[in-house]
Amino acid sequence: MAKRFLIVGAGRGGTALLKALLTIEWVSIVSITDINLEAPGIQFAKENQIPYASSYEPFIFSEEIDVILEATGNSTVYHDLERKKTLSTILIPGTVANIVMSLIEQKERLIHQLEQKSQELNTFLNSTHDAIVAVNSQGVITLFNRSAERILDVKREEVVGTEAKDTIPNTRLHHVLQTGESELNREQALTSNKRIITNRVAVSDNQGNIIGAVAVFRDITEVLSLAEEITDLKGVQTFLEAIINSSEDAISVVDALGNGMLINPAYTRLTGLSPEDILGKPADVDISEGESMHLKVLQTRKPVRGAHMKVGPKKKDVIVNVAPVVVDGTLKGSVGVIHDVTEFKKLAEELERAKRIIRTLEAKYTFQDIMGFSDTMLVAVDQAQKAAMTPATVLLRGESGTGKELFAHAIHNESSRKYSQFLRVNCAAITDQLLESELFGYEEGAFTGAKKGGKRGLFEEASGGTIFLDEIGEMSVNTQAKLLRVLQEKEIIRVGGTKSIPIDVRIIAATHVNLEKAIQQGHFREDLYYRLNMMPIMIPPLRYRKEDILPLSLHLIRKFNQEYGRAVEDLHADTLEILQSYDWPGNVRELENVVGRSIINMRFTETRILPHHLPSLITKPLAESSPPRSARIEQTQSNQTGKLSEILEAVEKNVIYKVFEESGRNKTQTAKRLGLSIRSLYYKMEKYKLN
């Protein structure tokens, strides 16, 4: 039955008592009184629909009041209440009420603290990844956190208050309760596909009595799965490292920041750089010349192929292929494969040697081997390519060393006869008698020392192919007559024989001699000239195409590098200027001699031909070697006397020279101004030696 309370005094103390009593179920508040109706207790009563009054008089004589709490602290009020209350009513003075109020407040604080600690403990227990299960001394579950719910797949409400051995599979908490022995780091199978690792310990009181046990465990199924994956990944990593380390291609890997992560032994062999020089260092630490392709790929996220650069302290020539490494859309780094260009060069050199060996069996050169980009040289090459497409006889004209034999080889290799014989004959290097027997062959007994059974001549050997007659201007008139028969009748008669032998051979002739002048002097047959001159090609001397000196020099440098084992790269600008100021009377042959001698004069560590490497003949001023061309023309003109034809030739020579100079030494413009074909201009300039 509820006890009826009257509170006298609605100040701070009375208000606290009112609030405290409201929390007690067996307490009924009859009223709270105070002469000040603005007192806090009165206001609280108004807000919570609790009876209140300004005087305690109406309630004092009531038999319904069990307890009066005097909260004013006024002794007069206390004594008045004591006189007027009934005998059954208990009067509690203000001092006691204050003590009660203090105890109530302390209780509330303790309860609040306990609730807060309990909340913190529950939060901790439920937020930990480890499952926690606790039992009391009877083995009944008293604690079961959320991780335990997740791992055991059972709700807390279903197991708390039940015995652990009945609701938790394979539990050993009851065994720990019995023995008091802890079980630590025990692996246990909960189900066929779930495993845990657990610690079980007993809980004892201050006297050492076992009052419960706790099990802390976690699911290691995922851990075991991850461990297996890690083991597999380590196996794959080991496998990949074995592949990378056994590769003959140099490989380097950098991370997303461009720092070295991995290199293989082939990389060290190629660059001469050890892992200590590369790993953890910027990606461009190994580059001698060029930019880092790793950094470029990291910036663009696009692969790079075929980039040329030099790496390592020895400046190795390499070609690099680099690709980005992207995992799930995130750039992780880049991997580069480096190829040693030296190996490619070696293979190219071997291929070139093989080509040279093959060429010694037939014609050696093609039009790709002819170096020249000047207008005059391009005209000559164009004429030669057209000549190669026809079976016509070709006459190559030009000074010694201009490359007439090179053109002859190229014409043959471009013609339909390229798979047949190509024979070379230097008409100036063999005596007349021997030349005739070599060209036309001889019958047995034709002369003393003739081989038994005779011998086939070069025309017969070359039948179906091409024969190159070099220096044909030096051939004797008698041999010229026999050659004319070959051109006219397509047949030969051996020396000492009478039988005509048909042949099918193409003739390419070459000479540096002025054949027109030789005809006038009776040294060359005019009829043979017209037979040979079916397809004349004028090969310009080097002094007329000085723009070709640089590509020719670079080509010769590559040639001599292979022969001499050098690494010369190019010419100094001053060296090129000296070469281009020289007249080159020996033409390309002389240039080849000069480049070869210059390389010999260089030290092995030098890579560029400087002016002091050139032979002294080249470095002499041009004015010391010959007088100006205009002076020679004027001298020739002033000393000219004699026949009318000679005077006309002198005038023609002077006119051609002046127009040539006025046209900026451009032969095409000169020919147009004089109304001549370019071929006629070449002929006349050769005739008058306007070189």
Side-chain angles (χ1 to χ4, degrees):
M1 181 176 178
K3 297 295 182 178
R4 298 178 292 277
F5 279 69
L6 172 65
I7 301 173
V8 179
R12 186 180 66 86
T15 304
L17 288 171
L18 175 61
K19 291 180 179 179
L21 292 173
L22 288 175
T23 62
I24 302 174
E25 294 181 358
W26 51 267
V27 172
S28 174
I29 304 299
V30 174
S31 180
I32 180 169
T33 66
D34 197 293
I35 59 175
N36 181 13
L37 294 179
E38 299 298 324
I42 299 299
Q43 297 300 321
F44 180 81
K46 290 179 181 179
E47 293 173 359
N48 292 275
Q49 289 80 45
I50 298 172
Y52 64 91
S54 60
S55 174
Y56 55 81
E57 291 291 344
F59 307 99
I60 194 68
F61 303 109
S62 174
E63 294 292 335
E64 296 179 354
I65 303 299
D66 296 313
V67 179
I68 298 174
L69 291 175
E70 192 279 314
T72 64
N74 189 322
S75 58
T76 302
V77 174
Y78 177 78
H79 291 304
D80 185 57
L81 288 172
E82 188 176 23
R83 287 194 309 271
K84 295 178 180 180
K85 74 177 183 68
T86 62
L87 292 176
S88 61
T89 300
I90 299 172
L91 174 62
I92 299 176
T95 53
V96 176
N98 288 336
I99 293 173
V100 172
M101 180 186 69
S102 177
L103 291 174
I104 291 173
E105 289 177 349
Q106 187 175 1
K107 171 191 171 185
E108 288 180 347
R109 285 197 301 271
L110 290 174
I111 291 173
H112 177 72
Q113 290 175 359
L114 287 173
E115 288 177 347
Q116 186 175 0
K117 293 292 184 182
S118 176
Q119 183 66 32
E120 290 176 357
L121 180 60
N122 287 333
T123 301
F124 167 75
L125 293 175
N126 288 321
S127 62
T128 181
H129 187 69
D130 292 336
I132 302 175
V133 176
V135 297
N136 60 18
S137 58
Q138 286 76 38
V140 175
I141 298 174
T142 58
L143 176 64
F144 198 86
N145 71 347
R146 290 177 183 171
S147 293
E149 289 181 326
R150 173 177 52 82
I151 295 174
L152 297 175
D153 195 22
V154 61
K155 294 296 182 180
R156 176 180 179 278
E157 295 78 9
E158 298 175 5
V159 295
V160 172
T162 64
E163 291 192 20
K165 64 181 180 180
D166 296 333
T167 54
I168 299 177
N170 302 326
T171 184
R172 288 178 55 81
L173 285 174
H174 60 285
H175 179 75
V176 173
L177 284 173
Q178 293 172 1
T179 63
E181 296 180 356
S182 300
E183 297 180 351
L184 304 178
N185 296 324
R186 299 291 181 91
E187 187 176 335
Q188 179 179 334
L190 286 181
T191 62
S192 59
N193 57 358
K194 184 177 290 188
R195 300 187 67 82
I196 62 170
I197 187 166
T198 181
N199 293 325
R200 304 184 186 95
V201 294
V203 179
S204 303
D205 60 15
N206 293 334
Q207 288 74 37
N209 300 317
I210 297 176
I211 59 174
V214 176
V216 180
F217 54 95
R218 66 173 51 183
D219 188 353
I220 60 170
T221 307
E222 294 182 2
V223 176
L224 293 175
S225 177
L226 289 174
E228 292 177 359
E229 290 183 12
I230 292 172
T231 302
D232 293 341
L233 287 174
K234 286 183 177 179
V236 172
Q237 181 182 6
T238 303
F239 186 67
L240 290 176
E241 286 179 353
I243 294 175
I244 291 172
N245 290 334
S246 63
S247 172
E248 290 300 318
D249 289 327
I251 298 173
S252 71
V253 181
V254 303
D255 60 22
L257 299 177
N259 296 320
M261 288 181 59
L262 180 148
I263 60 173
N264 66 345
Y267 178 93
T268 300
R269 290 195 299 270
L270 174 62
T271 64
L273 298 171
S274 65
E276 291 76 15
D277 299 323
I278 299 299
L279 302 185
K281 305 290 179 62
D284 56 0
V285 71
D286 59 344
I287 298 175
S288 301
E289 293 182 17
E291 63 173 320
S292 171
M293 292 300 105
H294 277 303
L295 296 180
K296 184 174 182 180
V297 167
L298 292 177
Q299 291 172 357
T300 63
R301 290 195 171 202
K302 295 180 180 179
V304 173
R305 296 186 61 82
H308 183 84
M309 63 179 61
K310 293 185 179 181
V311 297
K314 296 183 180 179
K315 296 186 176 182
K316 280 271 192 175
D317 274 325
V318 296
I319 290 178
V320 179
N321 297 328
V322 182
V325 178
V326 179
V327 179
D328 294 332
T330 302
L331 182 66
K332 296 295 186 180
S334 63
V335 58
V337 180
I338 307 168
H339 302 286
D340 188 355
V341 178
T342 310
E343 295 295 326
F344 295 122
K345 288 183 177 179
K346 184 178 179 181
L347 292 173
E349 289 170 2
E350 291 179 358
L351 178 61
E352 187 60 30
R353 282 197 296 270
K355 286 182 178 179
R356 286 200 296 270
I357 293 171
I358 293 171
R359 284 173 177 174
T360 58
L361 303 177
E362 297 293 343
K364 293 182 180 180
Y365 309 109
T366 66
F367 283 111
Q368 284 72 33
D369 296 309
I370 298 176
M371 303 296 297
F373 304 98
S374 62
D375 292 341
T376 54
M377 197 63 177
L378 292 176
V379 169
V381 171
D382 182 62
Q383 289 177 333
Q385 288 175 329
K386 291 177 180 177
M389 298 295 103
T390 70
T393 302
V394 178
L395 178 60
L396 301 172
R397 305 188 66 171
E399 297 177 9
S400 294
T402 53
K404 296 185 291 296
E405 183 173 345
L406 189 67
F407 270 80
H409 284 246
I411 291 171
H412 172 76
N413 276 328
E414 194 79 7
S415 72
S416 59
R417 297 172 181 261
K418 61 183 176 182
Y419 298 115
S420 301
Q421 287 285 338
F422 177 82
L423 299 181
R424 292 156 287 177
V425 182
N426 190 329
C427 300
I430 308 175
T431 62
D432 290 342
Q433 293 79 9
L434 183 57
L435 177 62
E436 185 177 350
S437 62
E438 286 294 318
L439 287 175
F440 305 106
Y442 56 83
E443 297 289 354
E444 183 177 347
F447 51 83
T448 303
K451 291 175 64 174
K452 185 177 181 180
K455 179 186 175 183
R456 285 160 54 92
L458 294 177
F459 277 114
E460 290 182 72
E461 294 288 344
S463 186
T466 303
I467 188 166
F468 173 48
L469 302 177
D470 197 9
E471 301 297 352
I472 196 170
E474 306 298 331
M475 185 182 287
S476 69
V477 176
N478 290 333
T479 307
Q480 291 176 29
K482 288 198 171 186
L483 178 59
L484 179 62
R485 178 179 178 83
V486 174
L487 292 170
Q488 288 179 335
E489 307 298 335
K490 303 294 183 183
E491 60 184 23
I492 57 110
I493 298 177
R494 292 181 180 177
V495 176
T498 57
K499 180 182 177 182
S500 296
I501 301 174
I503 59 168
D504 174 23
V505 65
R506 182 191 194 165
I507 296 176
I508 300 176
T511 182
H512 71 284
V513 174
N514 188 332
L515 294 181
E516 292 79 9
K517 189 172 182 179
I519 291 171
Q520 292 178 358
Q521 295 172 350
H523 298 155
F524 201 83
R525 293 179 64 104
E526 187 174 7
D527 48 2
L528 178 59
Y529 169 79
Y530 291 122
R531 285 291 182 181
L532 292 173
N533 204 39
M534 293 292 292
M535 192 71 182
I537 298 174
M538 179 66 70
I539 303 174
L542 187 56
R543 60 182 169 276
Y544 288 167
R545 54 185 188 103
K546 290 188 177 180
E547 59 266 43
D548 290 338
I549 288 178
L550 178 59
L552 281 168
S553 299
L554 295 177
H555 172 73
L556 293 171
I557 286 172
R558 290 191 292 270
K559 172 188 172 186
F560 286 119
N561 279 343
Q562 294 178 1
E563 293 181 4
Y564 298 160
R566 296 294 189 92
V568 180
E569 295 178 357
D570 59 6
L571 305 167
H572 191 275
D574 294 341
T575 306
L576 179 61
E577 184 177 355
I578 292 172
L579 295 180
Q580 290 180 333
S581 66
Y582 185 61
D583 254 357
W584 299 106
N587 294 296
V588 179
R589 189 177 290 121
E590 184 180 4
L591 176 63
E592 182 176 10
N593 174 272
V594 167
V595 173
R597 290 169 64 186
S598 299
I599 292 177
I600 292 172
N601 290 335
M602 296 172 65
R603 292 192 295 270
F604 273 90
T605 56
E606 294 178 312
T607 60
R608 175 175 287 186
I609 299 177
L610 301 175
H612 68 269
H613 295 138
L614 297 174
S616 58
L617 176 64
I618 290 299
T619 56
K620 285 173 64 178
L622 187 61
E624 297 179 11
S625 60
S626 62
R629 188 187 309 271
S630 59
R632 297 199 303 268
I633 294 293
E634 291 172 2
Q635 183 179 8
T636 302
Q637 196 171 355
S638 62
N639 295 336
Q640 185 67 52
T641 59
K643 297 178 181 179
L644 178 61
S645 60
E646 294 173 349
I647 295 173
L648 291 174
E649 287 182 352
V651 172
E652 183 180 47
K653 178 178 180 180
N654 188 31
V655 170
I656 292 174
Y657 171 72
K658 285 186 176 181
V659 175
F660 182 52
E661 291 294 332
E662 291 172 359
S663 302
R665 303 182 69 82
N666 186 304
K667 294 184 178 63
T668 303
Q669 292 296 327
T670 301
K672 286 182 179 180
R673 290 181 61 181
L674 293 173
L676 298 173
S677 66
I678 190 71
R679 187 176 301 171
S680 297
L681 179 63
Y682 273 117
Y683 163 70
K684 291 183 182 292
M685 293 186 74
E686 177 68 22
K687 174 182 177 181
Y688 298 130
K689 298 195 178 298
L690 296 176
N691 300 327

